[in-house]
Structures are given as structure tokens and as C-alpha cells.
Amino acid sequence: MPDPGIRRAILEAATALEPEAVERLAALVRHRSVLGEEASCLDAMAEIYRDLGLAPFRVAVDADRLAGHPGFSPPLIPYAGRENVVAVHRPREAGGRSLMLQGHVDVVPAGATELWTSPPFEPALRDGRMYGRGAADMKAGLVASVTAFRALRLAGLAPAAELQMAAVIEEECTGNGALAVMLALPRPDACVIPEPGPGQAALYVAEVGVVWAFVTVIGRPAHVRDMQAGVNAIEAAMRIAGRFKAYEAEMNRAERRHPAFAADNHPVNVNLGTIEGGEWNSSVPSQARIGLRVGVMPGHSCQAVRADIERIIAEMAADPDLRGATLRVAFRGFMADGAVFPPGQAISRTIAGCHREILGTEVAHYAARGLTDARFYTLYQGTEATCYGPDSDNIHGIDESVGLASLHQATKVLALTIAEWCGVERAA
Ligand SMILES: [Zn+2]
């Protein structure tokens, strides 16, 4: 535990860096880093790591090599030109425990831009919050990580253990970016991902898993004047989506609920996220495709959920109401198990203590109905991992925002966490 003088120096440095952090966040939000368009944001992160005095390098996602890994998810698009960025600080003398600080650069689509108060990729400051797609999820977390490290350096210090930092792709659809990085680096003693908390800074204690499924329905086309002769693929797809609501209710029954989700009566959500289909307003549609996101309760594997989905589709195909429509299901995107991040593990206790020191309150525990990249470290490496980051509002929604005061507080918590976990040495 660094002495009070060192802690004060780190916190003063973090305060001095607040304007720079806000500028960095605004610059990152300007990158429209949706799936397949992450390159410029990755370049920006490499530049930021270089500014820290580190030598960033790239870690590609090699889908063929990763394909046999149990944490691998079937990709949606190829990986060329979208290499993760990694930077590693090495101490002069390795003393403390090593740490990975990871974040994702990818953001989800903005949705209906006319609903946004200000354009989603033009960062806007209102009432102490920064608005923009990805501002909270999770470019603020990336900024908090690098600013925390910067604060140590500005205080004339450096972590006394290896500190890995990574900016990864595809947290929002596969996690394969994080998986590739984890496998490419030496195993750290802990991993912290500054994913945002729900409305306040929070410590993640569990998260659900997720399976993405695409169901294609082939109906039978007909002219609308002979509509009864056709099989409407879109109507059949809607019926299938409805069937998954019953599955969702089944998966949320109290006896299925993992203890980490005891206080949540609806942790497993099934989302009908995309739909396409049909050919012509005056033709019975011959095909339709729906994209489903199906939550996975920890303790109930994603492979079991995949089998459930296949069973439901087979049952639906035999349903007379579908009148012989042909159904196909494909799994691309998330094939991810849930995970538990025990609050009693050493890294979580360290974060909780630093949070108490900075905010003067006990940190809220958060069992997340969504997933993060932290799962890889606990599930496949046996490394203590969790997420802790600033507050957030409307992530994946309209007018996403992060509170700047919360960003600065989270930065200080992370800076103290680094100092306490890794130890500090005088900078060279
Ligand atoms: Zn996120």
C-alpha cells in the first residue's frame, strides 16, 4: 500500500490531467468505430500509448487459429486491417503484481440519428456530461486507463510490475479481439476493464452469456390475389420471434437464476435485433431473416442455449401454423458463456478500497444483464478479472453519455488501484 504522500501526488496529478482526459475522450468519440470501421480509432489509441512513452504493437485476430478455443465466437466479418493495439509497461525491477487494463474501441450503431439531441459522433458537453455514441461504452474507460497511468508518470512514478494495456475490437459482437490479446500476452495477475456502471460507477460481480442466432425463413411466394396459396416468410419469422419470448420467460424462472442474479427477476433477455426480408409490397414474401440475441444464465452454458435454439427451430418447422415454411438457423457472433467476478477476489477488494477512498462510499455491486470481455480472463485463464468504470446513461440507446466527474473519479480509482496492485517505483 503506497504511503499517503505518494497517494496524494498521484491524485494531484490525476486532477491536473482532467482537461486532457476530456479532450482525449472527445477525440475518440469522433471516430465512428462501428464494426469493420475501427481502424482510425485503433490508430488513435496507438498514438495515445506512444504518448505515454510506450511502444504499442498490434495483435491480429487469426480466426483459423482461434477457432478451436472454447471462448471463440464465429466471426461476422474478416479481420484484416483491424488489429488490436497493445502496449506494455515493464518495470525496472519486477516487484508487485502484474495487471491488464483493457478496453474496447468498437461501438454499436447509433440508431435513428434524428432522435439524438446532437449528432452521435460529434461529442457534446451538456450539464457536466459528454454525449456521443461510445462516450460511455467505453471510450471513457479507455481514457480513464491511460490517464491513470499518466497520473503515475506525472507524479514521477511507474508501476513496479508489468502493466498491460489493450484496445481491442469486437467486444460488442464476438469478443475475439480480447481473446486474441489474452492468448498473445503473458498471463497477468489480474485484469480490469473499465466498462461503465449503470448510472453510477460500479464493480461487476457477474455477467450473463450471450448467443447470437440468425434464423432464415423460406416461405412460398405468390401473387397477393392468391395470397392463401403462399406462405408469408415474414409472418412466419415474427411467429418464431414470439416463441422465443416464451423461452425467455422459462430461462428467467426463479429456480434457474444464478445466485449472483438473485435480486434480478429478469436477467436473461432475448432481443429480436434485426429483421430483413420480403421482395415486393404486392408479393407474398418468399424469405426473411431475423437476428436474435439470447441471454445465457451463468451455469447454463452457451452450447446448451445453442442446442435449445436448434430444438425450438426444429419444433417450429413442424408447427402446422408455419405451413411448411423452411427454417434454417446459423450461429454467427456471440457464443459466450456467463461469468462470475467474486467481490471477495483480491483485485475486486483493491478496487473497492480505492473507490471508498475517492468517493467516500461503498462501491455498488453490479450483476450485468450484458456481457464484457472480462469473461475470457476468468473462464479460460483463471485470472482474476472484473469491470469497474464511470457512470453511464443510455448505452446502446439514444443520447448515450458519461458523467465527467464520474470519469475523473474512476480515473483516480484506477490510478490508486494500479499503485496498490502493482506497487510503484521511481520513474526512470
Ligand atoms: Zn462495453
Side-chain angles (χ1 to χ4, degrees):
M1 162 96 60
D3 69 52
I6 285 179
R7 300 173 91 80
R8 201 175 324 113
I10 292 170
L11 297 181
E12 281 171 13
T15 300
L17 291 170
E18 287 177 1
E20 178 185 304
V22 175
E23 248 171 68
R24 282 224 156 112
L25 177 55
L28 288 179
V29 171
R30 283 196 184 91
H31 295 274
R32 191 179 168 281
S33 48
V34 294
L35 177 66
E37 297 174 38
E38 310 90 340
S40 72
C41 195
L42 290 165
D43 289 345
M45 285 307 302
E47 198 53 47
I48 289 172
Y49 291 143
R50 221 169 281 127
D51 273 359
L52 299 177
L54 302 173
F57 58 96
R58 299 289 180 144
V59 173
V61 179
D62 181 341
D64 293 335
R65 257 198 54 217
L66 296 182
H69 193 283
F72 180 71
S73 290
L76 297 158
I77 63 170
Y79 287 106
R82 311 165 55 223
E83 291 76 20
N84 305 290
V85 183
V86 175
V88 179
H89 157 83
R90 290 193 183 81
R92 272 174 298 157
E93 289 172 60
R97 293 163 290 184
S98 61
L99 182 64
M100 161 61 94
L101 284 179
Q102 189 177 283
H104 63 88
V105 300
D106 55 313
V107 300
V108 298
T113 46
E114 69 262 34
L115 295 178
W116 284 74
T117 305
S118 47
F121 296 102
E122 289 173 25
L125 284 174
R126 294 193 294 274
D127 304 326
R129 305 188 67 78
M130 185 168 299
Y131 290 81
R133 171 58 82 235
D137 185 13
M138 61 166 288
K139 289 171 175 174
L142 286 166
V143 168
S145 298
V146 296
T147 308
F149 180 77
R150 278 267 288 151
L152 265 72
R153 303 305 302 258
L154 193 59
L157 304 164
E162 181 165 296
L163 178 71
Q164 305 171 348
M165 281 184 277
V168 305
I169 61 165
E170 290 204 0
E171 188 272 350
E172 300 286 7
C173 60
T174 65
N176 292 338
L179 178 60
V181 166
M182 182 185 82
L183 296 175
L185 295 185
R187 178 179 179 273
D189 291 315
C191 169
V192 176
I193 301 183
E195 288 276 10
Q200 62 179 324
L203 184 67
Y204 284 53
V205 295
E207 63 181 34
V208 300
V210 168
V211 172
W212 274 21
F214 292 92
V215 181
T216 301
V217 182
I218 307 291
R220 191 185 320 131
H223 192 286
V224 176
R225 66 188 180 188
D226 303 317
M227 202 171 78
Q228 307 316 324
V231 175
N232 187 315
I234 293 176
E235 288 177 4
M238 296 313 293
R239 200 178 281 272
I240 292 162
R243 171 64 182 82
F244 277 92
K245 283 289 152 189
Y247 177 74
E248 180 187 71
E250 169 71 22
M251 295 309 288
N252 281 309
R253 278 168 47 187
E255 62 270 26
R256 280 192 175 277
R257 233 172 283 152
H258 187 278
F261 290 90
D264 185 345
N265 62 15
H266 208 284
V268 172
N269 290 326
V270 176
N271 186 52
L272 171 57
T274 57
I275 179 161
E276 56 195 274
E279 295 84 27
W280 192 249
N281 282 10
S282 295
S283 303
V284 174
S286 68
Q287 49 189 334
R289 191 180 77 147
I290 54 173
L292 295 165
R293 175 272 196 205
V294 182
V296 179
M297 186 72 77
H300 191 76
S301 77
C302 61
Q303 292 301 336
V305 169
R306 177 193 167 121
D308 288 344
I309 294 169
E310 286 172 329
R311 174 180 50 77
I312 290 167
I313 296 303
E315 286 167 10
M316 292 296 292
D319 184 335
D321 285 348
L322 264 69
R323 299 177 49 230
T326 307
L327 310 187
R328 266 200 320 268
V329 59
F331 295 92
R332 284 187 299 121
F334 285 125
M335 186 59 69
D337 280 322
V340 175
F341 314 119
Q345 64 186 358
I347 188 64
S348 297
R349 280 189 282 114
T350 301
I351 294 169
C354 296
H355 176 97
R356 195 180 305 120
E357 180 170 339
I358 299 300
L359 283 90
T361 57
E362 292 301 316
V363 68
H365 289 176
Y366 181 45
R369 295 176 186 170
L371 80 183
T372 72
D373 284 332
R375 69 183 181 279
F376 294 106
Y377 290 87
T378 49
L379 294 176
Y380 309 114
Q381 204 181 42
T383 296
E384 290 191 1
T386 189
C387 300
Y388 170 87
D391 78 11
S392 65
D393 197 24
N394 290 329
I395 60 169
H396 293 224
I398 301 299
D399 285 348
E400 171 179 348
S401 70
V402 61
L404 295 180
S406 183
L407 164 63
H408 300 320
Q409 285 169 340
T411 299
K412 287 177 174 167
V413 172
L414 287 178
L416 289 186
T417 297
I418 296 170
E420 199 166 314
W421 185 264
C422 303
V424 290
E425 59 182 21
R426 288 279 149 206

